[in-house]
Amino acid sequence: MNLCLHNPVTCADRSSSLFSALKTSNYKLGTSKFGFLKHRKKNHVVAVRSVSTSTVTTVKEETKRESQVYDAIVIGSGIGGLVAATQLAVKEAKVLVLEKYLIPGGSSGYYERDGYTFDVGSSVMFGFSDKVIPDPTTVHFHLPNDLSVQVHREYDEFVNELISKFPHEKEGVLGFYGVCWKIFNSLNSLELKSLEEPIYLFGQFFQKPLECLTLAYYLPQNAGDIARKYIKDPQLLSFIDAECFIVSTVNALQTPMINASMVLCDRHYGGINYPVGGVGGIARSLAGGLVDQGSEIFYKANVGVRLADGREFFAKTIISNATRWDTFGKLLKGEKLPKEEENFQKVYVKAPSFLSIHMGVKAEVLPPDTDCHHFVLEDDWKNLEEPYGSIFLSIPTILDPSLAPDGRHILHIFTTSSIEDWEGLTPKEYEAKKEEVAAGIIQRLEKKLFPGLSSSITFKEVGTPRTHRRYLARDKGTYGPMPRGTPKGLLGMPFNTTAIDGLYCVGDSCFPGQGVIAVAFSGVMCAHRVAADIGLERKSKVLDAGLLGLLGWLRTLA
């Protein structure tokens, strides 16, 4: 399961398991501007078009213009969509990516203000090993009862620190994280392609039967259940909850064990490495590699709106990098919701969005040994999943000072928040509430970590779930699916195919879920399934029907 960006980011011998298949050439940004989407199914053309909404309709084959026919059109340039697009382009498919914003990346994008370069979302990046800065500490936890745990880059250092806090649970710590490594190593031994493609899947099983059976065994299991087999101490179990909350925004009992294992091990195997110049460079590299392979990316391309120049584009397949709620509720507005999507929405709800605070501060407010990433939950474990209860903090300038003016640091603070808290407000009320909530979060960090923080602020910008909805085009600003109850691991999570022939989904509402590492995984899998369907990879219609039917049945068991 080897993934890696080539040029400008390459892999070393111990690079992340999830970035060695992302092969792109030297990067540059494309200059195309607008696009209006249509796509062609197997024997006819399907158009996604409307003046104000998006629907699926059939148009005559002779209406297409051959110069604008693609093998795939990808809606959205988040990491999942870009990975799918670049992987298809490497296979010599002709791909068009349509992005409504000005730059690629989605929640892994960036923006610039007053000499600062801010990451839109997470600064925790896995596995890159060239033109990056290694992070010696993945995250520093500041937890109730004055529990402080640093997740060191080296696994042995991390485990030894955790055991020093819980010496009576030494065997439990080694047992739980040992299972994580068992799962991770099984994943890492496999060539990463689509789990919906039977020729690949059966081939991997015959080559690596024990590893495949290991993954099948843990597929329907959750991290909290596994942890409780080894660990009894309530506070240590709460720490495992916090570990999983960073992965999935839910506790360990609701976090699939495979998801947890990928992140909790890859942070040590490949390490956390910050891209020089900011996280936005990853998306720029992928977009540039796409263009170098002869495909295209158009910005400011609002899918579903007929543009003034009247251009139309056709493709054999469409890949939606939107959430499944946006895909089936907006892109396909007016269409009857497929049964499998109804089942998905019975099992999963939209995870909350975030309140985000991007700040520039005077450098002297931070102690010299400050870690880059922090997770703060001060008083009560019960507040872990409550809105504004826990705080994520990234200080990327600890690793890359070039992101800020001299003598300044960047603080990116975010905490869970629901869009319902921000609706029904007048503009004046909205701005006042942003300032009030942000001030409370900053005061908490000032008390816990950085005395004098409030007076050191030189720049501040606050984003709410409404901001995330507007700029990232995500329903209610959500960052992916969250189980309604206790899920059966990843059993209920849909893959890339959909009930609509020629339409695929990619990103955090597909297997294996949320996080950069997971959506990259989703992109590679999607590209392989699409490549098989358009004739670029081997395919068996009989085996396809059998496997897809089996996977659909298994999802109903969730």
Side-chain angles (χ1 to χ4, degrees), residues 282-344:
I282 298 172
R284 291 196 302 269
S285 174
L286 287 167
L290 180 74
V291 173
D292 286 347
Q293 290 290 333
S295 290
E296 298 175 275
I297 180 167
F298 291 177
Y299 300 100
K300 297 170 66 177
N302 287 301
V303 175
V305 178
R306 186 182 294 277
L307 300 175
D309 63 9
R311 283 189 288 169
E312 299 178 348
F313 303 103
F314 301 83
K316 299 174 183 177
T317 57
I318 285 182
I319 301 171
S320 175
N321 194 194
T323 71
R324 295 188 92 94
W325 292 281
D326 289 294
T327 299
F328 290 94
K330 297 178 182 178
L331 179 63
L332 301 176
K333 189 173 183 179
E335 296 293 310
K336 183 179 179 181
L337 192 65
K339 183 66 175 177
E340 67 176 31
E341 297 305 319
E342 289 182 4
N343 292 336
F344 168 73

Side-chain angles (χ1 to χ4, degrees), residues 104-317:
S107 56
S108 293
Y110 72 99
Y111 71 95
E112 298 174 330
R113 295 283 191 281
D114 295 357
Y116 295 94
T117 300
F118 293 107
D119 298 326
V120 170
S122 174
S123 299
V124 180
M125 294 292 123
F126 289 83
F128 302 100
S129 56
D130 185 32
K131 295 190 177 179
V132 296
I133 305 158
D135 188 350
T137 304
T138 301
V139 62
H140 189 163
F141 285 95
H142 310 270
L143 300 169
N145 305 316
D146 294 322
L147 177 61
S148 172
V149 178
Q150 289 177 289
V151 180
H152 301 281
R153 186 183 186 93
E154 294 301 321
Y155 175 69
D156 288 344
E157 289 184 35
F158 160 63
V159 167
N160 288 337
E161 174 162 339
L162 192 58
I163 291 172
S164 74
K165 310 289 182 179
F166 301 94
H168 56 291
E169 285 281 16
K170 178 179 179 179
E171 296 304 317
V173 169
L174 295 175
F176 171 71
Y177 286 99
V179 174
C180 291
W181 279 105
K182 180 180 179 181
I183 294 168
F184 178 83
N185 289 333
S186 295
L187 279 167
N188 206 29
S189 71
L190 302 178
E191 181 183 10
L192 178 58
K193 290 186 178 180
S194 174
L195 300 180
E196 295 182 286
E197 201 287 292
I199 295 175
Y200 152 76
L201 194 61
F202 295 151
Q204 289 294 295
F205 181 80
F206 287 122
Q207 293 177 40
K208 304 277 187 176
L210 292 178
E211 289 82 354
C212 290
L213 290 172
T214 295
L215 296 175
Y217 176 76
Y218 287 105
L219 181 68
Q221 301 194 55
N222 299 319
D225 294 320
I226 303 299
R228 280 160 176 77
K229 291 181 179 180
Y230 296 94
I231 296 168
K232 303 303 179 186
D233 188 290
Q235 184 163 236
L236 180 54
L237 288 171
S238 293
F239 173 75
I240 302 299
D241 281 334
E243 286 257 73
C244 290
F245 187 76
I246 291 179
V247 174
S248 59
T249 66
V250 291
N251 61 47
L253 286 169
Q254 292 181 294
T255 302
M257 187 60 183
I258 288 179
N259 284 50
S261 300
M262 284 196 302
V263 175
L264 299 185
C265 295
D266 210 25
R267 66 190 184 186
H268 304 293
Y269 181 85
I272 303 300
N273 302 289
Y274 189 77
V276 173
V279 169
I282 298 172
R284 291 196 302 269
S285 174
L286 287 167
L290 180 74
V291 173
D292 286 347
Q293 290 290 333
S295 290
E296 298 175 275
I297 180 167
F298 291 177
Y299 300 100
K300 297 170 66 177
N302 287 301
V303 175
V305 178
R306 186 182 294 277
L307 300 175
D309 63 9
R311 283 189 288 169
E312 299 178 348
F313 303 103
F314 301 83
K316 299 174 183 177
T317 57

